[in-house]
Amino acid sequence: MIMSSARFQRHFSRAAAILFLAVAALSVGALVWMGVRLIEQDRALEAQQLRERREAAADRLTAALDQIILTEEERLADPASMDLPPSADAVALAVSGPSDARILRVWPEGGLLYYPDVNPGREAAVRLFTEAEKREFIDRDYSRAIRALLPLSRSGDPAVKAGARLRLARNYRKAGDLESALRIYAEMAGSSDGGISITGVPADLAARRAQCALLEELDRRAELRGSAQDLLDALMNGRWRLDRASYLFYRDQTARWLGQEPGAEAGRRALADAVAWLWENRRTTVASASGTARREFLRFQGLPVTILWRQSAGQLAAIAAGPDYQRSRWFDPLLGRPEFVGVRVTIGDPEDGLFYGDDAGADGPAASRLASVTGLPWDIALVNADREAVVSQFAQRRRLMMGGLALLALLVVAASYL
């Protein structure tokens, strides 16, 4: 009987130990399952909060950019009053007049290097110089040509005077009197008579080019460099209303005389090409409903230009904004606000690629706003700039939860053992 009781106690002790171990294993398993579920939920919460921050920031950014563009479009009611200095990397313009004789005006003055519409200045009748040109080109009698041109060079008509003087300098040059030719070129180059052309070229521009060519022929390098630099400065300041081909011809010549590589003014050429694009499409743009505003993002000379225009009362008003203007006036001030400190923004379009910001493709999920949906000229993508900080906060919280669950599991095992 005593042996049977001892055997029962041993059997009961083993059964109790197995029961306690089973309870402990179930408790630990439940804690592990609970921990996995908590981690999954925490990661889902982390992704949701990051997504909500991106989407909210993208909505705020879209609304703010739209307000900036609306403000610019309101200023188009009076393009001449827009505060655009020559260095603004933007031009305002107005197209007015009947459809078959439209006039293009641009602000600031000299803001464009070349123009899509060029009206040649007033020019003297060619028949006035028939006698002199017969002596020059047929008889090659430069002395008689000079005598025929001298009275005309003192004419009270600026167009006749300019035409005669340029021909007179050319004959002095052929006759070997180079100093007299240079003197006339220098006087014409410093002339303030505007709107006078010779064979479609502004008179003072033709004189400056002829002066540089003669100085090159005489190998007077120092004087050539000074005259060529003056000519280049005048071209860059928009002294003459030239078409694209004429501007490039004179620009390339001055670059050769100065030993420079042409094309350094790509930003200003991009603005001129943008205005030319708008001029070429003016019939389409003016045909739109009165008071409507249009927005376009294009690339010229490889540079992004945003064009905003509005048509009202038969007039088309527009602004062409280059990359520096867009950054300094639109993007940088806006993205410097406190509400956008925690995000990184990419602005561009699918065809031409990135324009502003960093490529956000490799920095995790992005909130995107397409131009076709927002009405803005660009596509916008936005990522969390402080993603690492947010992720580290959630990771620290998960470590605390796992530590607490591990401690609880240890307590369960210890209690079961005891």
Side-chain angles (χ1 to χ4, degrees), residues 91-147:
V91 292
L93 58 132
V95 180
S96 58
S99 58
D100 57 345
R102 292 202 168 274
I103 300 173
L104 171 65
R105 292 173 293 161
V106 177
W107 298 273
E109 289 291 332
L112 290 182
L113 296 176
Y114 45 84
Y115 294 78
D117 71 318
V118 177
N119 296 320
R122 192 165 65 88
E123 189 167 348
V126 178
R127 59 181 174 78
L128 297 173
F129 310 106
T130 302
E131 177 65 22
E133 291 186 343
K134 178 178 178 296
R135 300 303 178 192
E136 177 185 358
F137 295 110
I138 298 177
D139 301 337
R140 298 184 184 278
D141 189 342
Y142 307 124
S143 298
R144 293 183 66 181
I146 290 170
R147 286 196 297 271

Side-chain angles (χ1 to χ4, degrees), residues 10-26 416-417:
R10 286 195 301 272
H11 177 74
F12 179 79
S13 297
R14 283 196 300 271
I18 292 171
L19 179 62
F20 275 114
L21 287 175
V23 170
L26 288 173
S416 300
Y417 176 78

